[in-house]
Amino acid sequence: MPRPIKKGAWTATPAGDASSSVAKNYLPVNNVLNQVAIAIDQKSRPSSHQELPDPDSPRRALTDQRIARLFHSYTSEISQWYDLSDSTGAFGILVPSIALDEPLLFCAIIALSAMHVCKTSANSFRKLAEFYHHRCVQRLIELDQGDELITRGVALAATCLLRSYEILDGDIDPNMHLRGAYSMAPLHDVLSDNLQPGLPGAGFWNYLREDITFSLFEKCPLKMDLTATPLLVNHHSAQSYLNSITLILGKIINTTFGRDVTNSEWASAVEMLSQWRAACPERIQPFSREQAQPGTINLFPAVWFLQPCHAATMHYYLVALTILCVYASPQNLEDLGKLDLVGIEVESKDQLLEAFAVEICGIAFTTKIPSVLVNAFGPIAYCARFINAEPARQELARQLLACKSSIGWPVERLINDLKSFWGAEKTN
């Protein structure tokens, strides 16, 4: 049965929680999460929704065939975006199962699915999307600290879905719910090396990847302080390697973005990445590839992987290499050659950065799987700035626009940001 609505606050981790030492710099002040949620809620509140099924009873709402189709769209397609690094498929299996009786999660699913349809095929679904988004935010606002929906990972899962909704919508700051999600991420489990499979773990990894995506777009540190977070050394599945490189990339971002990097910090990051790469099994490598051929239609390499998570793993590895290259001093640049550069020879820094970017684009557009493409937008936003060849720039813009029809992401914003960077580069 659906839980009754409780009056409370969508707030941060309690002060006594074991994660408070990590989260202290990001805990909301004066209930800022409520203010953020209310601001979003007021902006997205639909004008009329009398004819839409009441989400307080998800099973009854699903008798409406529009809602049933949207729910199916989530379970069959959109959920795969979130299960990219989860071998148990929590967002595809557990989330919809819980949502059948939990209005908060049900509203998040229908809101996201309706906005996806709105952006890919039928704009008429916007009213429905906004209604369920409004109801979801209402329920988040009413959560108490320690509410079971927070401790079970349900609220974090809903918040991850809402962030995708807001990115697709393009009219709301997509970082707002990322700020809200920080307080619900199970940091104490990560710190104690006790992050278990299931919804809390799946929510954490999705949150961290979303945090990384935002940081790569904005060139800023993560919301999450990963200094004390241990690296993953035990890999139980192919997806585990994506999670471990996600942690490493997050640490490298926090070490470099927005601050001066010492030689010892840079060397430590190189060593951390080198050890991870040495432990990777052969099966996560490409099983086939064809080099890019400038002057032809094949401006990006064709790179084929066994699983989507392998492609995303290589993306994050290449982003980590790119960041280390950007922050390498002239005397340190040669040390990058100690790493596996995926067959790319160290020449000049500019050539190396461009080669990494071209490889990232090649992997994304060879794979052409929505879960990989969605996760690739952050790497492309940061790394594609270093593509110098005009034909490759034009091909990148064309490929990104082609993604929109199936994914719905506002890729024009990404393209315009890249063009602005390339244009500014020409004038310097």
Side-chain angles (χ1 to χ4, degrees):
M1 295 293 292
R3 298 167 71 256
I5 296 178
K6 295 169 59 180
K7 297 297 181 182
W10 184 31
T11 52
T13 309
D17 193 284
S19 65
S20 60
S21 61
V22 179
K24 63 183 179 181
N25 292 327
Y26 301 95
L27 290 175
V29 179
N30 295 328
N31 217 10
V32 69
L33 283 180
N34 293 64
Q35 296 168 15
V36 167
I38 291 168
I40 298 172
D41 178 49
Q42 291 174 340
K43 190 169 185 179
S44 65
R45 185 173 298 168
S47 57
S48 175
H49 46 70
Q50 292 180 351
E51 71 278 16
L52 297 177
D54 189 343
D56 288 348
S57 178
R59 292 180 187 272
R60 188 181 306 133
L62 285 167
T63 62
D64 184 306
Q65 292 305 292
R66 293 172 301 170
I67 305 302
R69 281 192 289 270
L70 291 171
F71 197 79
H72 174 72
S73 177
Y74 170 81
T75 60
S76 62
E77 298 179 41
I78 299 173
S79 63
Q80 295 175 26
W81 302 1
Y82 300 90
D83 286 334
L84 183 62
S85 72
D86 181 17
S87 60
T88 69
F91 271 77
I93 299 172
L94 191 56
V95 163
S97 297
I98 295 172
L100 289 174
D101 297 298
E102 179 43 63
L104 171 65
L105 206 47
F106 178 75
C107 287
I109 286 175
I110 300 303
L112 172 57
S113 187
M115 183 55 70
H116 180 255
V117 171
C118 175
K119 292 297 182 177
T120 57
S121 57
N123 188 58
S124 59
F125 276 77
R126 171 171 286 280
K127 181 179 177 182
L128 190 152
E130 290 176 344
F131 168 63
Y132 284 95
H133 178 263
H134 163 66
R135 295 294 290 270
C136 186
V137 173
Q138 272 190 320
R139 285 185 169 270
L140 280 173
I141 293 170
E142 291 156 350
L143 291 182
D144 290 324
Q145 289 186 357
D147 191 292
E148 66 167 340
L149 293 184
I150 295 177
T151 58
R152 289 167 51 205
V154 173
L156 178 58
T159 306
C160 288
L161 299 181
L162 287 186
R163 183 167 190 268
S164 293
Y165 170 101
E166 289 154 7
I167 290 173
L168 294 179
D169 188 12
D171 190 39
I172 300 174
D173 176 9
N175 194 36
M176 284 186 171
H177 278 133
L178 192 58
R179 289 194 288 268
Y182 182 86
S183 65
M184 293 182 284
L187 290 171
H188 58 287
D189 289 334
V190 180
L191 288 171
S192 61
D193 201 21
N194 192 38
L195 192 63
Q196 300 297 318
L199 207 49
F204 170 80
W205 292 117
N206 273 285
Y207 167 80
L208 183 53
R209 291 204 309 275
E210 289 177 347
D211 200 2
I212 285 173
T213 295
F214 183 82
S215 290
L216 292 175
F217 267 91
E218 300 299 325
K219 292 83 180 172
C220 64
L222 305 179
K223 303 288 174 294
M224 189 178 294
D225 183 355
L226 298 174
T227 305
T229 308
L231 297 176
L232 295 184
V233 293
N234 296 316
H235 297 89
H236 306 293
S237 66
Q239 289 81 358
S240 298
Y241 289 93
L242 174 53
N243 290 333
S244 57
I245 190 61
T246 300
L247 268 182
I248 289 172
L249 177 57
K251 286 175 175 282
I252 290 174
I253 286 173
N254 284 347
T255 298
T256 54
F257 285 10
R259 60 189 299 273
D260 295 327
V261 183
T262 66
N263 286 335
S264 62
E265 287 174 330
W266 189 89
S268 295
V270 169
E271 180 61 23
M272 176 172 59
L273 192 60
S274 176
Q275 290 181 6
W276 175 86
R277 184 62 171 160
C280 288
E282 184 66 25
R283 66 179 180 274
I284 73 170
Q285 309 302 325
F287 63 80
S288 179
R289 67 173 293 122
E290 182 180 39
Q291 291 298 113
Q293 300 172 15
T296 71
I297 61 172
N298 301 316
L299 296 174
F300 298 124
V303 191
W304 302 93
F305 290 89
L306 289 174
Q307 296 186 44
C309 63
H310 295 164
T313 298
M314 184 56 66
H315 270 159
Y316 275 6
Y317 177 68
L318 287 164
V319 176
L321 288 175
T322 298
I323 295 172
L324 291 174
C325 185
V326 167
Y327 286 87
S329 63
Q331 57 268 34
N332 285 339
L333 189 59
E334 289 187 6
D335 291 340
L336 276 180
K338 300 175 183 177
L339 290 166
D340 176 8
L341 302 182
V342 296
I344 298 170
E345 295 184 3
V346 179
E347 297 181 14
S348 69
K349 176 182 280 194
D350 288 346
Q351 289 174 323
L352 195 55
L353 290 171
E354 183 172 27
F356 290 151
V358 167
E359 186 77 6
I360 286 171
C361 294
I363 292 170
F365 302 132
T366 303
T367 307
K368 285 188 177 177
I369 294 174
S371 60
V372 174
L373 289 169
V374 167
N375 205 62
F377 290 140
I380 290 172
Y382 183 79
C383 300
R385 300 175 299 152
F386 304 114
I387 294 178
N388 295 312
E390 185 60 32
R393 290 175 173 180
Q394 294 177 6
E395 177 64 9
L396 171 57
R398 188 188 71 80
Q399 292 277 8
L400 287 172
L401 286 172
C403 295
K404 186 170 184 179
S405 62
S406 61
I407 297 174
W409 258 59
V411 294
E412 296 90 348
R413 186 190 313 163
L414 170 54
I415 294 169
N416 289 336
D417 287 348
L418 288 171
K419 287 182 176 179
S420 295
F421 181 88
W422 293 331
E425 193 178 48
K426 287 180 180 179
T427 60
N428 291 337

